[in-house]
Amino acid sequence: MRRLLLALPFAVLPLAVAHAHDDHDHDHAHGSLAAHEHGAARLNVVLDNTTLELELDSPAMNLVGFEHAATSAADKAKVATVRAQLEKPLTLFGLNNAASCSETDQELESPLFGDKPAVDDDGDTHEGHEHSDIHAHYQLACATPDALKRLDLSPLFKAFPATRKIQVQLIGPNGQQGVEATPANATINF
């Protein structure tokens, strides 16, 4: 499922390094380029022939408003609502209808969804760690990929207003690019 995105970190590593100097790294335990910054998310986009893959990583705070385990009825309801929103990528990501894209695969992961805590490069889990992330991976088949001229993230920003910026790394027919999307500048050209 992740065959296209596996190549992405290597292809856009220079972009990630450039952005790493701009981000305040809250992910002290990992020491990675992927900083845990409230209000910020990361999106990898790959368009290869008729396949469009989207991979969103965000602190849970941006999406559900908290990062602790959901124990109250209100917290559990909020997690369920957010999960239901994330299960509809064609609603969250504005794509040209003429491209005729349909979802072929989806994967949602987070400790808030009952998944096991992530394991870092040292083999350590960060169970009980104050930071929780949500990872969403989507694979879409687009019958007319030439109709995909841009990706509109406005619906995503509207659904999750605590998300103030998204670091986008995109590989498409015109090469690779790194862009910072905001609610005021939410459209990325392929």
Side-chain angles (χ1 to χ4, degrees):
M1 171 169 68
R2 294 183 187 230
R3 62 183 165 77
L4 293 176
L5 288 176
L6 284 176
L8 186 61
F10 299 107
V12 293
L13 185 58
L15 299 171
V17 170
H19 287 295
H21 297 299
D22 297 334
D23 290 339
H24 178 67
D25 189 356
H26 284 90
D27 195 5
H28 304 292
H30 292 93
S32 68
L33 293 176
H36 180 99
E37 179 184 347
H38 294 176
R42 292 173 308 282
L43 178 66
N44 295 323
V45 181
V46 176
L47 177 58
D48 184 35
N49 294 319
T50 61
T51 302
L52 176 64
E53 290 197 54
L54 302 148
E55 187 175 52
L56 177 70
D57 285 303
S58 176
M61 180 67 75
N62 299 348
L63 307 181
V64 296
F66 56 86
E67 295 187 337
H68 58 271
T71 54
S72 73
D75 285 355
K76 289 178 183 178
K78 181 65 177 172
V79 169
T81 298
V82 166
R83 185 175 184 125
Q85 287 174 291
L86 291 171
E87 289 173 346
K88 299 175 184 163
L90 294 173
T91 304
L92 292 175
F93 300 99
L95 301 170
N96 185 346
N97 290 336
S100 299
C101 295
S102 61
E103 184 180 350
T104 58
D105 203 358
Q106 174 183 122
E107 183 180 335
L108 301 175
E109 297 174 350
S110 175
L112 296 180
F113 300 152
D115 297 321
K116 294 185 186 214
V119 177
D120 68 14
D121 295 337
D122 299 327
D124 296 329
T125 62
H126 295 281
E127 202 163 0
H129 196 267
E130 67 272 11
H131 296 306
S132 290
D133 291 332
I134 294 177
H135 172 81
H137 178 255
Y138 309 101
Q139 187 172 42
L140 308 174
C142 300
T144 314
D146 291 342
L148 289 175
K149 302 295 182 199
R150 62 190 132 285
L151 173 65
D152 183 6
L153 299 178
S154 297
L156 184 71
F157 283 114
K158 287 177 186 165
F160 306 112
T163 303
R164 295 184 307 274
K165 66 180 178 179
I166 301 173
Q167 294 295 330
V168 180
Q169 295 180 4
L170 182 141
I171 296 177
N174 296 319
Q176 68 184 37
Q177 61 178 308
V179 179
E180 182 175 284
T182 63
N185 188 20
T187 303
I188 295 102
N189 293 323
F190 278 98

